[in-house]
């Protein structure tokens, strides 16, 4: 039986599997922390020190009752451990908490596994906690110590020889690589000098490229109010075409009562509408229909809809006497058409204001100062101009939070700083895939104006962070980024004697730009 062959008693007979090495009692002393287990994970043998510091029942107990594997992350299964027996293992005692580090060795004849290792500690003061002394780590038996020392020297010599061969090969590869790097470095230096020589033109080119990307959105922003204006004008023209001839006679024939009714309806239509839920609106409409039906009003459904369009959802009982007469019904129909006319004029005003805002922002953005001198500007105004140009990309999923504190005007190169805000806001929108929260903070910090642009995107990976301001570096797919945007931003901020920094983690990336006031 394996259990008898692997006994640790000093009187045990010679063990067949170890006739060429060490008997079990000597093995247990030389490796004081080793243990042996079979395919059923039963512990058959253990080193003397390990037996002393472990709970009773270690020998004969199950491996998973006493230890768990910290590294590598593998299951406590005999076949699984057999496949990974060449790896270093770190085991942790479930009760005492001490750790053992070593290697597994399979004895095929007995189909058992040896763990050959030692107590793993980083501070010798911890030994006392486990009931272990320093001398427990070695046998101090001259023959065994000499054999292990000789084996260690042989192994070290073989490792050193192999390492020297690898180093020689790596050195040749490194020299070749260094030569290639030097050539590329020379080419890069030339390219950088050319880039520096054309920096002003590049800034304007980047600005125009960003404007080109915005054109489709800007066209949509202008086309939408134009469509609203066209529709409203058609409504007005249709009203005048149908009613222009009859309007004089309508107003001449209005009774005093109908005249007041007409004025009340137009006043109601011009007021802010009640904020009601769809359910509440349906409930009031059904009530109004029942009231009109009870009073014998023709087509109560249509009349209830007309009153609702005139913002008359409550108190329809007051209109019943007039609705029972043809003149009253004509009055309410004409009031409805006039309210539509008023709504169309309001729509035209709103649409023209919106279109004018986009055109003004486009004009401000595309302006280029050829004087090359600084001018005073309000940075908040410039940032809002950029936001207006990006409105089509903001309105379908981006919440913009503005935290603007009063700031003085800044003497700067306005065109170039506008490019800073454009690049940073555009990058933030792309990082969020145009869905998320964009936070803009502007405040005066000592003798500087500080602008924070924060997005809720996926963040910048730590390995990428040191490279983001390098020219030509980009994480975007081919064709979508030149790698010059943040490099240009950095150069513009430096030109203003300012500073730019970035902090990033998943869900929050913040660029901070500080521009001196003086």
């Amino acid at each position: 039986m394996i259990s008898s062959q692997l006994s640790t008693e000093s009187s045990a007979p010679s063990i067949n599997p170890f006739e060429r090495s060490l008997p079990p009692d000597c093995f247990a002393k030389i490796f004081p922390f080793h243990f042996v287990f079979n395919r059923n994970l039963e512990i058959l043998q253990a080193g003397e020190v390990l037996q002393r510091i472990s709970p009773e029942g270690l020998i004969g107990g199950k491996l998973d009752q006493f230890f768990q594997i910290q590294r590598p992350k593998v299951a406590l299964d005999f076949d699984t451990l057999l496949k990974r027996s060449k790896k270093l293992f770190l085991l942790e005692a479930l009760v005492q908490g001490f750790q053992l580090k070593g290697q597994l060795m399979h004895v095929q004849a007995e189909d058992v596994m040896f763990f050959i290792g030692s107590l793993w500690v980083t501070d010798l003061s911890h030994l006392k906690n486990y009931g272990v002394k320093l001398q427990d780590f070695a046998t101090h038996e001259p023959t065994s110590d000499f054999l292990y020392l000789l084996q260690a020297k042989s192994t070290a010599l073989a490792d050193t020889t192999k390492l020297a061969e690898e180093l020689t090969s790596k050195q040749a590869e490194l020299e070749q690589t260094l030569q290639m790097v030097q050539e590329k470095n020379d080419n890069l230096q030339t390219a950088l000098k050319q880039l520096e020589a054309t920096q002003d033109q590049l800034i304007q080119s980047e600005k125009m490229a960003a404007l080109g990307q915005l054109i489709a959105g800007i066209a949509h922003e202008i086309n939408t109010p134009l469509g609203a204006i066209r529709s409203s004008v058609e409504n007005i023209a249709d009203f005048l075409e149908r009613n222009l001839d009859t309007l004089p006679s309508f107003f001449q024939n209005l009774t005093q009562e109908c005249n007041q009714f007409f004025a009340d309806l137009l006043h109601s239509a011009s007021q802010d509408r009640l904020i009601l839920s769809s359910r509440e609106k349906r409930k009031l409409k059904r009530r109004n229909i029942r009231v009109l039906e009870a009073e014998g009003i023709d087509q109560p459904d249509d009349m209830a809809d007309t009153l609702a369009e005139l913002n008359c959802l409550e108190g329809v009982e007051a209109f019943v006497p007039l609705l029972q007469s043809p003149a009253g019904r004509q009055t309410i129909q004409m009031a409805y058409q006039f309210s539509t006319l008023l709504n169309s004029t309001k729509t035209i005003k709103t649409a023209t204001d919106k279109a004018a805002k986009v055109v003004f922002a486009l004009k401000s953005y595309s302006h280029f100062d050829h004087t090359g001198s600084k001018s005073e500007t309000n940075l908040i105004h410039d940032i809002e101009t950029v936001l207006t140009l990006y409105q089509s990309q903001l309105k379908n999923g981006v919440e913009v939070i503005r935290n603007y504190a009063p700031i003085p005007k800044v003497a700067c190169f306005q065109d170039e700083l506008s490019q800073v805000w454009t690049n940073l806001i555009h990058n933030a929108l792309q990082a969020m895939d145009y869905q998320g929260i964009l936070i803009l903070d502007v405040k005066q910090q000592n003798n500087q104006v500080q602008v924070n642009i924060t997005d809720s995107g996926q963040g910048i990976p730590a390995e990428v962070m040191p490279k983001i301001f390098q020219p030509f570096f980009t994480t975007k797919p081919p064709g979508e980024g030149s790698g010059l945007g943040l490099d240009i931003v950095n150069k513009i901020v430096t030109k203003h004697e300012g500073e730019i920094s970035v902090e990033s983690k998943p869900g929050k990336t913040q660029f901070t730009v500080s521009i001196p006031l003086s």
Side-chain angles (χ1 to χ4, degrees), residues 159-175:
D159 290 344
T160 303
T161 303
K162 183 178 180 181
L163 181 59
E165 293 174 353
E166 292 178 352
L167 285 175
T168 302
S169 175
K170 292 293 182 182
Q171 183 176 3
E173 294 178 5
L174 182 59
E175 290 175 354

Side-chain angles (χ1 to χ4, degrees), residues 56 263 289:
E56 292 185 6
I289 292 174

Side-chain angles (χ1 to χ4, degrees), residues 184-199 202 206 423 464 466-491:
K184 291 185 178 181
N185 187 54
D186 293 341
N187 295 335
L188 183 59
Q189 290 292 337
T190 302
L192 285 176
K193 289 179 181 178
Q194 295 174 352
L195 181 63
E196 292 171 357
T198 58
Q199 181 173 330
L202 188 58
E206 183 77 6
N423 283 14
V464 171
K467 306 176 185 178
I468 60 173
F469 293 112
Q470 294 179 4
F472 306 110
F473 176 79
T474 179
T475 59
K476 299 173 185 176
E480 292 189 17
S482 64
L484 296 175
L486 287 178
D487 174 53
I488 289 175
V489 165
N490 190 29
K491 284 182 169 61

Side-chain angles (χ1 to χ4, degrees), residues 403-453:
N403 300 318
Y404 295 157
I407 60 170
K409 289 187 175 182
V410 177
C412 64
F413 301 101
Q414 183 180 3
D415 295 329
E416 298 184 16
L417 272 187
S418 293
Q419 186 60 37
V420 171
W421 317 134
T422 300
N423 283 14
L424 293 181
I425 290 174
H426 185 226
N427 286 350
L429 296 177
Q430 285 187 321
M432 296 186 292
D433 197 19
Y434 303 95
Q435 299 283 331
I437 299 175
L438 177 67
I439 304 175
L440 302 169
D441 298 277
V442 183
K443 61 182 178 180
Q444 182 177 352
Q445 187 81 14
N446 299 325
N447 197 36
Q448 294 180 324
V449 172
Q450 187 178 93
V451 178
N452 294 329
I453 298 176

